[in-house]
Amino acid sequence: MAGEFKRDMNYIPTRVTADGRDGYPVEAGRYRLVVARACPWANRAVIVRRLLGLEPVVSMGIAGPTHDERSWRFDLDPGGEDPVLGIERLQQAFLVRFPDYDRGITVPALVDIPSGQVVTNDFPQITLDFGQEWREHHRPGAPELYPPDLRSEIDEINEAVFHDINNGVYKAGMATDQQAYEHAYARLFDRLDRLSERLSKQRYLVGDTITEADVHLFPTLVRFDAVYHGHFKCNRHKLVELPVLRDYTRDLFQTPGFGDTIHFPQIKEHYYVVHRSINPSGIVPTGPDLSWLLEPHGRDRLGGRPFGEGTPPGPPPESERVPSPA
């Protein structure tokens, strides 16, 4: 369709695995997860790392909320340099491995610390591998986010959520044609309505515990009122006006490992400053009030066990704490 936003999904397919078949074996302390708090795709990896307790074995570098054509910058760190990798831009790690790399420099990315080379930026695979390949390093009580008996259902939900919601907000916001925008808008809210119906009967998307499906949906929902409703013209309703999805998002936000990864000032700065074709002034809005995320959610009535037979993760490391939305 003319004017439709098309996402480049051509990511580096290399994997970090227990058997090291791609040349990068699972090894505590060897890899650095580079993220940006602003990015919903990176947010997934941050959440899964928290839920599984991988903080002691996979360090995390946090890029600033804005970037230019040369990639994400470590401008939050002293001297504008990642203290572990010793680089100013994520692009440098890509070019060490691929000197002629000409695709997007994206987060999340796993970087091999000894060589300084990027290993992968394949965001869907990174979280699955954290769950499956890094098992020997999971914390006691870590949840099973991709249970074998539910994988086909999780995959089906994730596929629909990706196309219509995760990427759907971008298809609406980045469209350059009225028809393309309206098509994306209609699919987005149709899918949200379907999920609202589903979640009116069950606490989580698949089964009675948190799974990869919830990890995929949450980053888009939690950003909805702050950026997608206005900035991306996804304005049929705010999330706070949709009771089921509002309370579902509240529930997850208040679950350790979810809300404690969300940095709203950086999220808003990224979208409103970087997307100058949509917001030429670069002015970041003061609102909206997001304190509703801390109000009671009432989802307990639907049953469910957030971590199954497991337990919640402990508090995040001091260096990774984020401000409250209230």
Side-chain angles (χ1 to χ4, degrees), residues 102-113:
D102 60 357
R103 301 199 301 274
I105 310 294
T106 61
V107 290
L110 276 174
V111 178
D112 179 48
I113 297 171

Side-chain angles (χ1 to χ4, degrees), residues 145-288:
L145 298 175
Y146 196 51
D149 61 322
L150 296 177
R151 287 180 185 176
S152 61
E153 188 176 359
I154 291 171
D155 291 346
E156 182 180 356
I157 288 285
N158 283 350
E159 182 76 6
V161 165
F162 172 77
H163 287 292
D164 296 341
I165 298 178
N166 299 146
N167 202 38
V169 292
Y170 284 85
K171 289 178 181 178
M174 298 292 193
T176 57
D177 175 84
Q178 186 70 32
Q179 184 178 358
Y181 160 72
E182 291 179 2
H183 178 72
Y185 179 100
R187 290 193 59 165
L188 166 67
F189 282 101
D190 177 66
R191 185 64 60 186
L192 288 175
D193 288 343
R194 294 191 202 184
L195 291 184
S196 182
E197 175 64 21
R198 181 185 185 95
L199 289 166
S200 69
K201 303 181 182 74
Q202 60 192 67
R203 188 169 178 184
Y204 303 109
L205 278 174
V206 180
D208 67 350
T209 65
I210 290 166
T211 67
E212 275 267 342
D214 303 291
V215 172
H216 284 215
L217 179 58
F218 173 77
T220 301
L221 294 187
V222 80
R223 287 164 172 75
F224 201 90
D225 288 5
V227 288
Y228 302 141
H229 176 270
H231 185 59
F232 276 178
K233 307 179 188 71
C234 300
N235 59 0
R236 192 194 77 180
H237 290 94
K238 292 181 180 178
L239 193 74
V240 74
E241 298 167 347
L242 301 172
V244 173
L245 294 177
R246 176 199 64 202
D247 290 345
Y248 168 79
T249 305
R250 275 180 179 152
D251 188 4
L252 288 178
F253 189 87
Q254 295 170 30
T255 299
F258 283 85
D260 55 28
T261 70
I262 302 300
H263 196 302
F264 282 114
Q266 291 187 22
I267 289 170
K268 292 199 298 181
E269 183 178 354
H270 168 72
Y271 283 93
Y272 286 99
V273 171
V274 171
H275 298 158
R276 289 304 179 100
S277 63
I278 301 174
N279 185 41
S281 70
I283 293 174
V284 180
T286 302

Side-chain angles (χ1 to χ4, degrees), residues 110-130:
L110 276 174
V111 178
D112 179 48
I113 297 171
S115 67
Q117 296 182 351
V118 67
V119 178
T120 182
N121 61 342
D122 188 350
F123 68 89
Q125 193 63 51
I126 287 173
T127 57
L128 291 176
D129 285 344
F130 276 172

